[in-house]
Amino acid sequence: NTFINYNKGNDRIGMRLLEISDCIIEDNEFNGYVNAIWLESGSNNNIISYNNIINNSEGILFFWECRNNIFSHNNFINNKKLNALNYCTNIWDDGEYGNYWSDYEEKYPNASKLFFKGIWDTPYTISTLNNDTCPLIRKWTKSSPKTKEEELNPLKKDKTRSTSKYTNGKQTILSQLFK
């Protein structure tokens, strides 16, 4: 597995994945970028979860055939232009929990909270091909309960895990990669 982190410190792109597949990217904070996460050219089958994507111009962008990436348990907060731009087919929830979207109530004023599940009753639309069918009512935090599968198997076999913090173009905690 290959993981590429282009952090050039120029306040433009927090993390760029180019032809990267079968990786886990979690526990990151992307704050103050033009593009927080940029996936392109065949970056497929990645799991991107437990990240804070906040105060960026644009959250996540996909270009050129990026498919079957799973996004869940992420917080998309106060991204100015958009939270995600995605014209490929990707997965935006794990079937039980999706992501927190700070603009959810503005976009879906008639949605109802399913308190017993912790999600909204209306999917969050990313594009015509992509919906978060289980958008979270509240921000996901490290103290939030993990799913049964996550408790039993926190790192799936043959995946790479990255833990970093990025703020305003500077990597403040170095990446840690595990295989």
Side-chain angles (χ1 to χ4, degrees), residues 37-144:
I37 302 174
W38 179 309
L39 290 90
E40 65 178 294
S41 298
S43 292
N44 301 312
N45 305 310
N46 296 297
I47 298 171
I48 300 171
S49 58
Y50 307 108
N51 297 290
N52 287 310
I53 301 160
I54 57 176
N55 299 319
N56 300 287
S57 181
E58 300 168 335
I60 297 178
L61 298 167
F62 295 84
F63 295 97
W64 304 293
E65 305 299 322
C66 297
R67 292 185 176 16
N68 300 318
N69 295 290
I70 300 171
F71 295 85
S72 67
H73 306 93
N74 297 294
N75 294 317
F76 291 87
I77 301 171
N78 298 330
N79 294 300
K80 293 166 189 64
K81 289 185 182 176
L82 53 90
N83 285 312
L85 178 63
N86 184 7
Y87 296 110
C88 306
T89 304
N90 290 288
I91 302 158
W92 290 88
D93 57 73
D94 65 7
E96 187 175 1
Y97 297 109
N99 302 282
Y100 173 78
W101 309 91
S102 66
D103 64 348
Y104 184 90
E105 290 182 85
E106 181 182 327
K107 288 180 79 169
Y108 306 98
N110 297 321
S112 297
K113 295 177 180 178
L114 302 175
F115 286 107
F116 61 97
K117 290 186 175 181
I119 62 172
W120 292 96
D121 70 343
T122 303
Y124 186 93
T125 301
I126 291 113
S127 69
T128 55
L129 298 173
N130 296 275
N131 293 298
D132 180 342
T133 61
C134 305
L136 300 173
I137 293 172
R138 293 186 185 98
K139 292 181 232 176
W140 187 264
T141 64
K142 289 188 182 212
S143 62
S144 298

Side-chain angles (χ1 to χ4, degrees), residues 3 5-9 13-15 25-33 36-37 50-56 142 161-176:
F3 176 85
N5 176 0
Y6 291 103
N7 185 357
K8 298 181 181 180
I13 299 173
M15 181 179 287
I25 300 165
E26 66 180 27
D27 293 325
N28 297 291
E29 182 173 304
F30 299 95
N31 186 344
Y33 288 97
I37 302 174
Y50 307 108
N51 297 290
N52 287 310
I53 301 160
I54 57 176
N55 299 319
N56 300 287
K142 289 188 182 212
R161 178 179 177 178
S162 168
T163 303
S164 304
K165 182 175 180 180
Y166 303 88
T167 304
N168 296 323
K170 295 175 181 64
Q171 184 174 352
T172 56
I173 299 174
L174 296 177
S175 295
Q176 299 173 359

